[in-house]
């Protein structure tokens, strides 16, 4: 029953601040990466996981908001609409969650696992996952979506936080992306 998983990189790891590169070839090795990412996401009770969070510098993310695992390669935002506030958590910043305003309805384009072009629309949580994971692909953490004062306080708290312990505990029911 035990499948292999990746170690999730946490705040402070330089890989989280780098822009990931376009996927040029969806080969067997990359499909293997996707499968391990899905296992890693489930193992951590996450609803979304971007490749840089497991140290893979490629533009892809996996997600499952309750309809089964999905993957998108080279995602781009096509359209956004509205506004939605949500208590957002991140697998790479365990123990922290913040109310963040983002668009409510998000349409992305990208490639599916067969290399076909796809257009996917996400409302509320799914739209949130899309934007959060796209940020990861650009080396942006949710901390950068906070207002300056909240961000300042978060950085102070993060300095003293034991993120590895927080990752093990998972005491709250915040959905992490
Ligand atoms: Zn995240």
């Amino acid at each position: 029953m035990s499948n292999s998983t990746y170690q999730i990189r946490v705040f402070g790891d330089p890989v989280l601040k780098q822009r990931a590169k376009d996927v040029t070839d969806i080969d067997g090795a990359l499909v293997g990466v996707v499968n391990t990412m899905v296992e890693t996401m489930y193992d951590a009770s996450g609803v979304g996981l971007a490749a840089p969070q497991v140290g893979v510098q490629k533009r892809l993310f996996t997600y499952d908001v309750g309809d089964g695992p999905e993957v998108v390669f080279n995602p781009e935002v096509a359209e956004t609409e509205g506004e939605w506030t949500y208590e957002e958590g991140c697998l790479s910043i365990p123990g922290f969650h913040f109310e963040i305003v983002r668009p409510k309805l998000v349409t992305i384009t990208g490639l599916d696992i067969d290399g076909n072009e796809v257009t996917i629309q996400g409302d509320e949580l799914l739209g949130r996952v899309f934007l959060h994971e796209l940020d990861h692909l650009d080396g942006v953490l949710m901390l950068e979506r906070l207002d300056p004062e909240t961000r300042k306080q978060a950085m102070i708290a993060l300095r003293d936080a034991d993120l590895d312990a927080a990752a093990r505990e998972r005491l709250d029911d915040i959905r992490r992306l």
Side-chain angles (χ1 to χ4, degrees):
M1 148 104 219
S2 159
N3 290 303
S4 68
T5 57
Y6 290 119
Q7 190 186 346
I8 296 177
R9 308 299 181 90
V10 296
F11 177 80
D13 191 317
V15 78
L16 295 172
K17 300 193 85 172
Q18 291 159 18
R19 189 179 192 278
K21 294 188 173 65
D22 281 336
V23 172
T24 51
D25 189 15
I26 304 170
D27 58 11
L30 193 55
V31 172
V33 168
V34 170
N35 291 334
T36 306
M37 279 179 62
V38 169
E39 289 300 324
T40 304
M41 180 177 75
Y42 287 151
D43 185 60
S45 303
V47 294
L49 183 69
Q53 290 182 278
V54 295
V56 176
Q57 287 295 81
K58 292 182 188 235
R59 299 188 77 78
L60 68 115
F61 63 78
T62 61
Y63 64 93
D64 183 351
V65 295
D67 300 318
E70 298 285 350
V71 61
V72 193
F73 302 87
N74 300 339
E76 281 179 45
V77 174
E79 209 181 327
T80 63
E81 211 182 295
E83 218 177 69
W84 189 53
T85 306
Y86 183 72
E87 188 90 8
E88 200 168 311
C90 178
L91 290 168
S92 295
I93 316 174
F96 287 77
H97 44 87
F98 305 95
E99 271 199 358
I100 298 176
V101 183
R102 294 192 195 250
K104 180 177 176 292
L105 191 63
V106 180
T107 307
I108 61 165
T109 59
L111 301 175
D112 69 12
I113 197 121
D114 299 313
N116 299 313
E117 283 185 30
V118 288
T119 300
I120 317 159
Q121 196 172 63
D123 194 14
E124 298 196 335
L125 181 61
L126 184 54
R128 174 78 39 154
V129 169
F130 289 165
L131 295 173
H132 182 109
E133 307 312 337
L134 268 153
D135 272 354
H136 274 305
L137 301 184
D138 292 330
V140 173
L141 294 174
M142 64 175 183
L143 300 165
E144 292 172 57
R145 300 295 178 194
L146 302 174
D147 65 77
E149 184 54 34
T150 310
R151 179 161 192 249
K152 199 171 119 192
Q153 289 170 7
M155 297 305 275
I156 292 167
L158 268 163
R159 210 171 47 200
D160 302 321
D162 184 345
L163 294 180
D164 294 323
R168 285 191 299 270
E169 284 168 12
R170 284 185 222 136
L171 294 175
D172 52 50
D173 58 357
I174 295 289
R175 284 184 279 195
R176 296 192 183 79
L177 296 72

